[in-house]
Amino acid sequence: MKLPAFEYACPATLEEAVALLASRDEARVLAGGQSLVPMMAFRVASPSLLVDLRKLSDLRRITIDNSGVRLGAMVRWRDIEDDARLVSAHPLLEAAVSHVAHYQIRNRGTVGGSIAHADPAAEMPGIAVTCDAEIAVVGAAGSRVIRADDFFIAPLVTALATEEVVTEIRLPAWPPQRRWGFREFSRRRGDFAMAAAAVFYDVDDTGRAYNAHIGAIGVGDRPVRLTAAEAEVTGKVVDVAVSERAGAAASEAVNPHDDIHASGAYRKSLIGTMVERALQSAAGVRVI
Amino acid sequence: MAVSFEVNGKQVTVEVEPRMTLVDCLRYQLRLTGTHVGCEHGVCGACTILVDGEAVRACLMLAVQAEGCKVVTIEGLSNDEALTPLQASFRRHHAVQCGFCTPGMITTAHALLSEEPDCDADRVREVLSGNVCRCTGYISIVEAVLDARSAYRKP
Amino acid sequence: MRNSFVGSPVERREDLRFVRGRGQYVDDLCPRGLLHAVILRSSVAHGRIRSIDTSAALKLEGVYAVITARDMPGSPPRIAMRLQPLPEFTPFEQSVIAATKVRYVGEPIAVVLAASVAIGEDALERVVVDIEPLRAVSDCETSAKGDRLLFEEHGTNCAMTFTAACGDADAAFKAASHVRHERFRTGRHYGLTMEPRGVMAEWDAATSRLTVSGAAKVPFFNRRILAKQIGLPETAIAMVENDVGGGFGARGEFYPEDFLIPFAARHVGRPVKWIEDRRENLMAMNHARQAEVDVEIACTRDGTILALRGHAHVDMGAYMRTNGAVAARNIAQFMSGPYRIPNIKIQSSLWMTNKAPVGTYRGPGRFETDFFRERLFDMVAKDLDIDRVEFRRRNLVPASAMPYPMPTITPFESRDELDSGDYCLSLNRCLEEFGWADKAKLQGQLIDGRYHGLAVGCFIEGGAAGPKETARLEINSDRSVAVFIGSSAVGQGVETVFAQIAADALEIPMDRISGVYHGSTGYVSDGYGAYHSRSVVMGGSALLDATRNLHDLIRATASKRFGCAPSEINISEDRIAGPGGVSATFADFAGLTAEGFFLNKKHTYTYGTHAAHVTVDAKIGQVEVIDYMTVVDCGRIINPMTVRGQVIGSLVQGLGGALLEELLYDDQGQLLTGSLADYLLPTASDFPKLGAIVTDMFPSPINPLGAKGAGEGGIISAGGIVANAVANALTAFAVEPRELPLTPQRIWEMVEAGRPALTKASAQP
């Protein structure tokens, strides 16, 4: 499982990085390497050139202000864990990231890498879609911002042009009274989700939910918001009954494929249960 | 290409192809065979080393990415005269059988205890869940790591 | 000096190097001039090889040679079976390299020799192999149909059917008042070792000697096989056993690479090393465990078992491996386990399929058959409305019945019997330690969203396979004694355990045992290795004999020096004394060496009981093992720490097989679980609470140590226990697991199927 041969470059600036990516067919970005290197070990990826972003320290910043949370593409899972501000600034992000992989991987893996890799069972793309994130990228034509919903196209396929580099993931500001929940089921701790639900909603003066966002991870080609489930929550006081109806709507809305870890039917049921439990967690009415 | 970095306190410069992983560089070029290769796809943890004080999977790092870094392997966490408290604890608790996962386990445990000397059993299990052992069933390894905490706590 | 190292929790000597990363495994060896071998493996499960074109690969810089069957004189040699070598198996033996046909994805087709592994892998992509695909046999059912044959000239895919029999099962079933008939399956998994396989061979043309490193488990047997295949006398081959990263039955048997690499080294005249990568390991290290059974049990109304009858079908993969018949035979022979069942007729058929060949994995056949049996027991106990614990207690072989004969296996096997023990005592101890009485009320309860279940089960594990083992002692000039042993190390602590035995027997301090040198063919005249939990019994007993022989030799030598009779010599910790005050130290006898042997034809039976408490999240099928206790009696405990380590380690492997591990193939024979992201191994967070108590109440009568093998018991019960506990937890849904592994999906499906029953039941007043 030795890697196929490739050229390697370690540019000092983002412009250089983009130019290098544009210079070759099959050039790829190397961030943490935690997803790319295993693919190369199995020779299912054979880039001609790896462009290492390790020198781009500007991409390592976590910025928290009134506009929200901005994660530089090279921010590692560990950096998110270590940043105490995020516990209140974005508790849903914090909760989701705690499920990512394992200790050693968290010291190298990056948010930008996860977003660009676009595994439908990964937590970060799911959080990006659920939270209406924007993904800032830089390419040969300059910089642009892509809505998360438009960014993920298919498993391992994104809207990035071949020479574009993700520079930042921007999450909207998080009001302190927001209710949220994150429930994931994986075979073992740290494994990819068999299915996961990321939910949040705001509550009006009468205790009813609005602005409901329910995101499903691992049950399709890309993470999606489950609008039918959101409709079950909107305008209601979230209780067990509401959570069960939303869960049922979530199951109804998805059509996952069979794979060696789970059948489509099982995943369909699983996402319903995850949505149900995430909502119960958000509402503070935990049943399990 | 030439890569320069520090390994176990010593500066080295090696000539590598970009595709050479850091674990292969350590094992074959620097003859530091204490770090083991168990899967080459980032799952088993046998290749765990410290890079700038953090535990990483050496099979997922390219040697060229180690430029300017401080690398510590199991050899750098050992000495001839005596076992370190962590090593002695592994021995005392029979946390070693075939020995193949052991360097990775010890390196990971050392990283954890260095940062979190008061970690509890759940945290130890969580962190070690990225290191596969096929022989011990983990119970004795967790016991060994917990028993070594006192050596890492500040007096 | 009276020692008691035996029985003490002595810290392991081998740890001193392992915790420092100073172990020496085969991949740590890098002699000068080394070439790296990379194996081209079939990507087609079943096909006829039309051509192999190596020309493009040879043009790649750094590629030294590409070896195929063409490079071997005549046809490539085949690998003979080591255990149960019946003539019926010969047609199904594996050739060391594919010549005309490939029969599994992963079968070796060519060996590339290159300056580096990376270049070798680049070269693999350039070798052009044209294979005419044939329809694949992907399971036992297809194999049995017989319209797709792996070995056309043989006419069948069935390699053998074993029968285990005692009494008259058919008559017993006719007369029985209660019969339960079921079908069960166990999924394919294997003894994955953390260190993948590796072989390094060095050919010394000047002396015509071959040195092979990376040997494990059965180096002497393997030397015998290799010598025949490669046309060298055994004395010209040295097998060197280095540190070994786990065995579990899978590593160390003779594989194709064990011929290919030595052949390559002699072919090119340079050292050659092959190190398996994990991708290869998943598709080419011996697979195990996949079996299905059609089985029935006959009882009286009061729960006395009368008979067991059934037919198991074992998925053997593409070839009969050196020990491929063992598990299938064990399924039949050991289905009754520690229970008294007077009438038995179990058949076990071996079916060839286009998958990786099958060998042994810890507790071979026993994990499978205990799952089948213990499930059946819980079902029948429920039928008869008898407490599951009582049912077992009533039917365990009583201590008074020892030695108790096992069913006879045909063809081949000599009769076997359970040697010693009080199975009920162990059952009672386990229930007490586990707290069964307190926990019993939890059975089937829904608490905080999770269903609680318990299970208990009993097992036997066979050990001490004969026929022989050899040990040698040698006195060093510094007064220490070196131990050489034919047993092999696979991580079980032989360097410590044998030092304990030797120190006690020699009556010297342990630090005067300079080392324990194991496995390699240069150490003793005739070694037999490590398998079937034999090392302590066979190696340990041989060591006792070697001690006697060394003492005799010291006396004989001293008597000549002192001019007295050997009986007048007194040997103590460091003095060899004769009459009239004359004495010498061990240093004066440096160089003296004596061998010892132990011959054995009988097996030992370590035994015990497992009990478990699980909870199930029925909505998603997730199982948590809340508490698990196993009580094991192994006859004589040499090192309580290491034996407990074996039990716990073995148990976690069993839980992996029960809940997580499965090798999956599609119907074209393609391996779907090709990485550790798909083949799920237990990790530190999966089974945090496990208890093991090892007792030594009933020594074995068949060896001077009184020991029984103890490496495999932990794994044997795990499947049946977990499945029974889940069934117990999900009683409300009438869930009856019949298949392992119990994945979340499988549990969820059974719960969903059982929901209508639950709704009906809860709707009743």
Side-chain angles (χ1 to χ4, degrees):
Chain A
M1 294 169 72
K2 304 305 176 192
L3 308 181
F6 54 86
E7 289 174 71
Y8 171 85
C10 195
T13 68
L14 192 49
E15 293 64 40
E16 249 185 272
V18 171
L20 282 162
L21 288 167
S23 71
R24 298 264 202 313
D25 283 342
E26 312 289 340
R28 288 186 72 150
V29 168
L30 176 65
Q34 309 298 280
S35 302
L36 180 59
V37 175
M39 285 175 64
M40 294 173 69
F42 279 99
R43 301 205 176 199
V44 297
S46 292
S48 55
L49 164 70
L50 285 188
V51 179
D52 191 343
L53 302 186
R54 67 192 290 252
K55 286 185 180 153
L56 306 185
S57 46
D58 283 351
L59 299 184
R60 295 190 191 281
R61 276 198 284 266
I62 299 177
T63 312
I64 301 177
D65 59 28
N66 294 332
S67 73
V69 174
R70 300 205 313 265
L71 305 169
M74 292 294 279
V75 164
R76 303 165 305 160
W77 309 118
R78 194 223 160 89
D79 299 326
I80 293 174
E81 253 178 3
D82 287 349
D83 193 330
R85 303 174 295 170
L86 287 170
V87 174
S88 49
H90 211 299
L92 181 55
L93 169 70
E94 180 81 19
V97 167
S98 74
H99 288 266
V100 173
H102 293 289
Y103 189 64
Q104 297 94 330
I105 297 204
R106 301 158 71 75
N107 285 331
R108 299 285 300 170
T110 65
V111 292
S114 174
I115 293 286
H117 185 62
D119 188 315
E123 292 82 358
M124 195 65 218
I127 292 298
V129 166
T130 304
C131 298
D132 301 321
E134 289 184 327
I135 293 148
V137 313
V138 169
S143 53
R144 63 181 178 126
V145 172
I146 310 174
R147 287 173 52 238
D149 208 38
D150 297 327
F151 185 85
F152 303 100
I153 295 176
L156 312 191
V157 178
T158 69
L160 287 173
T162 52
E163 89 295 345
E164 280 182 317
V165 178
V166 173
T167 55
E168 201 171 64
I169 292 93
R170 298 173 184 166
L171 298 163
W174 186 274
Q177 317 86 341
R178 175 166 285 171
R179 321 297 317 230
W180 64 272
F182 184 86
R183 294 305 290 261
E184 173 173 322
F185 182 49
S186 57
R187 290 294 293 277
R188 303 167 302 177
R189 172 172 231 150
D191 283 344
F192 278 108
M194 284 216 280
V199 315
F200 70 81
Y201 56 87
D202 299 313
V203 176
D204 68 19
D205 307 333
T206 68
R208 286 171 222 275
Y210 68 95
N211 194 28
H213 282 58
I214 295 179
I217 296 166
V219 290
D221 289 344
R222 51 196 208 90
V224 287
R225 275 178 57 184
L226 301 174
T227 48
E230 290 167 358
E232 290 293 340
V233 168
T234 301
K236 315 256 188 350
V237 174
V238 177
D239 59 13
V240 173
V242 167
S243 75
E244 285 173 356
R245 284 200 298 276
S251 277
E252 197 49 42
V254 300
N255 254 314
H257 304 301
D258 295 341
D259 69 24
I260 58 171
H261 289 296
S263 67
Y266 173 73
R267 277 209 167 86
K268 232 168 130 66
S269 166
L270 184 61
I271 191 63
T273 306
M274 293 296 103
V275 166
E276 194 183 301
R277 292 177 182 178
L279 285 170
Q280 287 168 9
S281 174
V285 292
R286 283 278 300 270
V287 170
I288 184 173
Chain B
M1 36 189 305
V3 193
S4 297
F5 53 97
E6 188 188 286
V7 181
N8 299 332
K10 235 181 62 178
Q11 269 298 120
V12 297
T13 301
V14 284
E15 187 65 38
V16 296
E17 278 187 285
R19 67 164 159 175
M20 178 171 257
T21 59
L22 184 53
V23 71
D24 282 349
C25 175
L26 292 166
R27 286 180 54 77
Y28 300 118
Q29 295 194 300
L30 298 175
R31 300 305 297 141
L32 293 166
T33 57
T35 305
H36 296 148
V37 174
C39 76
E40 290 182 293
H41 54 284
V43 176
C44 80
C47 68
T48 305
I49 57 173
L50 303 178
V51 175
D52 296 335
E54 295 171 342
V56 303
R57 298 188 183 313
C59 73
L60 296 187
M61 257 184 91
L62 305 175
V64 292
Q65 290 182 289
E67 176 70 40
C69 293
K70 281 190 163 64
V71 174
V72 175
T73 68
I74 185 70
E75 290 89 345
L77 296 176
S78 306
N79 64 77
D80 287 333
E81 298 76 46
L83 296 184
T84 64
L86 181 58
Q87 290 170 330
S89 189
F90 265 64
R91 191 177 183 223
R92 193 162 57 245
H93 289 274
H94 185 42
V96 182
Q97 288 188 28
C98 83
F100 200 76
C101 77
T102 305
M105 284 286 181
I106 288 180
T107 305
T108 304
H110 175 78
L112 170 64
L113 293 176
S114 301
E115 293 187 333
E116 302 175 40
D118 292 314
C119 55
D120 64 11
D122 275 343
R123 177 65 176 154
V124 172
R125 277 190 280 269
E126 180 190 350
V127 169
L128 291 184
S129 64
N131 291 69
V132 180
C133 172
R134 209 42 175 152
C135 295
T136 65
Y138 305 106
I139 305 278
S140 56
I141 294 177
V142 174
E143 286 171 1
V145 175
L146 291 172
D147 195 17
R149 285 177 301 181
S150 52
Y152 285 80
R153 287 177 178 133
K154 302 258 184 298
Chain C
M1 166 181 183
R2 273 275 102 137
N3 281 341
S4 53
F5 294 112
V6 169
S8 299
V10 175
E11 290 185 4
R12 295 187 352 155
R13 298 174 141 204
E14 43 270 84
D15 289 5
L16 293 171
R17 63 181 185 279
F18 290 156
V19 297
R20 290 177 159 114
R22 288 187 197 162
Q24 190 165 73
Y25 304 85
V26 64
D27 191 30
D28 300 338
L29 306 171
C30 278
R32 288 182 36 173
L34 181 68
L35 285 177
H36 298 268
V38 177
I39 314 273
L40 175 67
R41 298 181 183 278
S42 177
S43 57
V44 172
H46 194 197
R48 272 187 256 281
I49 300 176
R50 288 204 195 98
S51 64
I52 306 174
D53 183 355
T54 61
S55 54
L58 284 164
K59 289 200 184 77
L60 195 60
E61 188 184 331
V63 172
Y64 201 82
V66 182
I67 296 171
T68 65
R70 280 196 300 260
D71 296 296
M72 295 168 198
S75 40
R78 288 150 67 101
I79 303 169
M81 284 180 70
R82 180 174 71 80
L83 295 177
Q84 280 113 54
L86 298 165
E88 288 91 324
F89 293 133
T90 313
F92 303 99
E93 286 171 352
Q94 183 169 7
S95 170
V96 294
I97 198 165
T100 53
K101 251 194 121 175
V102 290
R103 294 185 176 87
Y104 66 101
V105 167
E107 181 164 4
I109 294 177
V111 184
V112 172
L113 301 180
S116 72
V117 177
I119 292 172
E121 290 190 25
D122 294 343
L124 288 187
E125 293 172 341
R126 288 167 163 77
V127 178
V128 182
V129 187
D130 184 14
I131 299 179
E132 174 204 333
L134 298 170
R135 289 183 311 162
V137 175
S138 60
D139 56 32
C140 283
E141 206 184 308
T142 312
S143 183
K145 278 208 194 86
D147 57 343
R148 303 179 195 183
L149 293 174
L150 273 77
F151 302 88
E152 292 88 342
E153 56 301 344
H154 193 64
T156 175
N157 288 322
C158 181
M160 166 70 65
T161 296
F162 287 110
T163 305
C166 66
D168 187 340
D170 291 338
F173 270 90
K174 280 207 185 77
S177 42
H178 185 77
V179 170
R180 177 84 183 230
H181 174 216
E182 286 290 339
R183 303 172 87 126
F184 300 107
R185 315 162 74 109
T186 45
R188 200 179 196 82
H189 55 288
Y190 77 123
L192 180 154
T193 52
M194 284 316 297
E195 182 203 10
R197 297 176 296 145
V199 183
M200 187 175 78
E202 297 166 276
W203 171 247
D204 182 343
T207 57
S208 290
R209 287 189 57 82
L210 187 60
T211 303
V212 180
S213 302
K217 192 182 187 189
V218 285
F220 282 80
F221 281 113
N222 291 348
R223 180 171 69 169
R224 197 158 301 139
I225 297 175
L226 178 61
K228 273 207 198 80
Q229 293 176 332
I230 208 167
L232 286 170
E234 281 180 43
T235 47
I237 301 174
M239 309 288 280
V240 176
E241 181 172 292
N242 308 97
D243 287 320
V244 172
F248 316 128
R251 163 194 264 109
E253 292 297 327
F254 198 97
Y255 285 89
E257 297 85 0
D258 293 300
F259 170 83
L260 292 172
I261 304 309
F263 176 84
R266 194 172 65 164
H267 189 72
V268 299
R270 283 176 64 171
V272 173
K273 182 169 73 168
W274 167 72
I275 300 298
E276 184 180 50
D277 63 36
R278 188 59 65 187
R279 193 188 60 98
E280 287 180 286
N281 178 260
L282 283 156
M283 68 171 71
M285 188 182 230
N286 286 346
H287 286 189
R289 299 281 198 245
Q290 187 170 17
E292 48 196 82
V293 75
D294 205 303
V295 65
E296 47 187 348
I297 187 170
C299 300
T300 62
R301 285 256 151 240
D302 74 348
T304 304
I305 304 171
L306 298 171
L308 263 185
R309 185 169 61 183
H311 198 143
H313 300 277
V314 182
D315 187 316
M316 295 303 299
Y319 296 102
M320 283 306 297
R321 301 269 319 129
T322 51
N323 59 5
V326 173
R329 193 209 86 203
N330 285 353
I331 286 176
Q333 189 169 24
F334 296 106
M335 194 179 285
S336 49
Y339 301 95
R340 181 164 53 181
I341 302 179
N343 302 287
I344 294 174
K345 182 165 148 215
I346 312 274
Q347 294 186 291
S348 183
S349 292
L350 284 59
W351 296 101
M352 311 313 289
T353 60
N354 291 115
K355 300 186 215 173
V358 156
T360 58
Y361 172 27
R362 213 167 189 174
R366 301 178 199 263
F367 172 93
E368 300 90 299
T369 209
D370 273 39
F371 166 67
F372 303 153
R373 174 194 70 244
E374 295 287 338
R375 280 297 294 131
L376 209 46
F377 278 14
D378 267 23
M379 288 166 160
V380 127
K382 193 192 272 186
D383 289 346
L384 298 174
D385 203 20
I386 294 173
D387 175 79
R388 301 179 289 154
V389 175
E390 266 323 294
F391 182 87
R392 288 169 170 84
R393 187 177 279 124
R394 221 168 273 186
N395 288 291
L396 281 170
V397 173
S400 56
M402 296 295 179
Y404 181 80
M406 306 295 297
T408 308
I409 277 278
T410 48
F412 191 74
E413 195 65 20
S414 57
R415 296 207 61 198
D416 205 351
E417 53 189 21
L418 299 176
D419 53 355
S420 68
D422 187 331
Y423 299 164
C424 281
L425 208 57
S426 149
L427 170 63
N428 292 337
R429 176 85 189 269
C430 184
L431 294 168
E432 189 193 306
E433 296 286 345
F434 176 75
W436 183 275
D438 285 331
K439 292 184 165 82
K441 59 184 176 291
L442 296 171
Q443 297 179 80
Q445 295 294 308
L446 175 62
I447 303 166
D448 290 337
R450 300 184 71 93
Y451 288 87
H452 288 243
L454 305 184
V456 69
C458 304
F459 73 94
I460 47 162
E461 87 175 80
K468 183 183 174 188
E469 195 49 85
T470 310
R472 182 166 68 83
L473 297 169
E474 184 169 324
I475 301 179
N476 299 319
S477 54
D478 65 354
R479 301 154 52 233
S480 66
V481 177
V483 176
F484 299 89
I485 196 99
S487 307
S488 282
V490 286
Q492 75 279 51
V494 297
E495 292 174 28
T496 304
V497 167
F498 286 136
Q500 291 173 257
I501 295 171
D504 270 14
L506 290 165
E507 296 180 356
I508 61 179
M510 243 183 90
D511 60 17
R512 272 180 57 209
I513 302 292
S514 62
V516 175
Y517 304 94
H518 51 80
S520 302
T521 51
Y523 290 150
V524 297
S525 60
D526 189 21
Y528 288 76
Y531 58 98
H532 201 198
S533 293
R534 68 191 301 276
S535 298
V536 164
V537 174
M538 298 301 295
S541 299
L543 204 40
L544 296 184
D545 188 47
T547 304
R548 269 191 296 279
N549 294 340
L550 183 68
H551 278 168
D552 286 349
L553 185 58
I554 291 172
R555 283 199 191 85
T557 310
S559 77
K560 287 204 188 74
R561 282 195 206 164
F562 299 164
C564 62
S567 55
E568 293 177 281
I569 304 292
N570 188 285
I571 305 173
S572 65
E573 186 190 321
D574 193 29
R575 269 179 80 242
I576 292 110
V582 34
S583 77
T585 71
F586 268 66
D588 300 316
F589 293 84
L592 280 196
T593 180
E595 267 196 344
F597 310 96
F598 183 65
L599 301 173
N600 178 34
K601 285 202 178 108
K602 293 180 144 193
H603 295 133
T604 59
Y605 284 95
T606 287
Y607 62 91
T609 304
H610 289 219
H613 174 192
V614 308
T615 62
V616 184
D617 179 345
K619 288 189 84 171
I620 63 177
Q622 189 243 5
V623 176
E624 207 169 306
V625 177
I626 299 295
D627 199 2
Y628 201 113
M629 173 59 65
T630 167
V631 170
V632 182
D633 193 292
C634 68
R636 177 94 182 267
I637 297 173
I638 310 298
N639 186 321
M641 262 200 335
T642 61
V643 75
R644 179 178 173 263
Q646 290 298 304
V647 175
I648 299 279
S650 174
L651 172 56
V652 170
Q653 288 186 323
L655 294 170
L659 290 164
L660 290 168
E661 297 175 51
E662 194 169 16
L663 290 158
L664 291 167
Y665 282 85
D666 68 14
D667 57 17
Q668 306 298 308
Q670 292 297 319
L671 181 65
L672 299 172
T673 46
S675 78
L676 297 187
D678 295 322
Y679 187 80
L680 304 177
L681 296 167
T683 68
S685 48
D686 290 306
F687 308 113
K689 183 149 190 252
L690 307 169
I693 292 172
V694 186
T695 62
D696 54 1
M697 300 181 64
F698 290 89
S700 171
I702 67 148
N703 67 86
L705 282 170
K708 303 183 181 183
E712 300 178 65
I715 206 173
I716 288 171
S717 295
I721 291 282
V722 168
N724 279 341
V726 168
N728 183 244
L730 299 175
T731 304
F733 300 92
V735 161
E736 294 287 9
R738 293 179 172 86
E739 182 169 7
L740 295 179
L742 270 174
T743 61
Q745 177 183 320
R746 284 194 176 119
I747 293 175
W748 172 79
E749 285 169 350
M750 288 188 284
V751 168
E752 290 306 297
R755 272 195 195 284
L758 174 72
T759 318
K760 238 199 289 169
S762 60
Q764 281 161 10

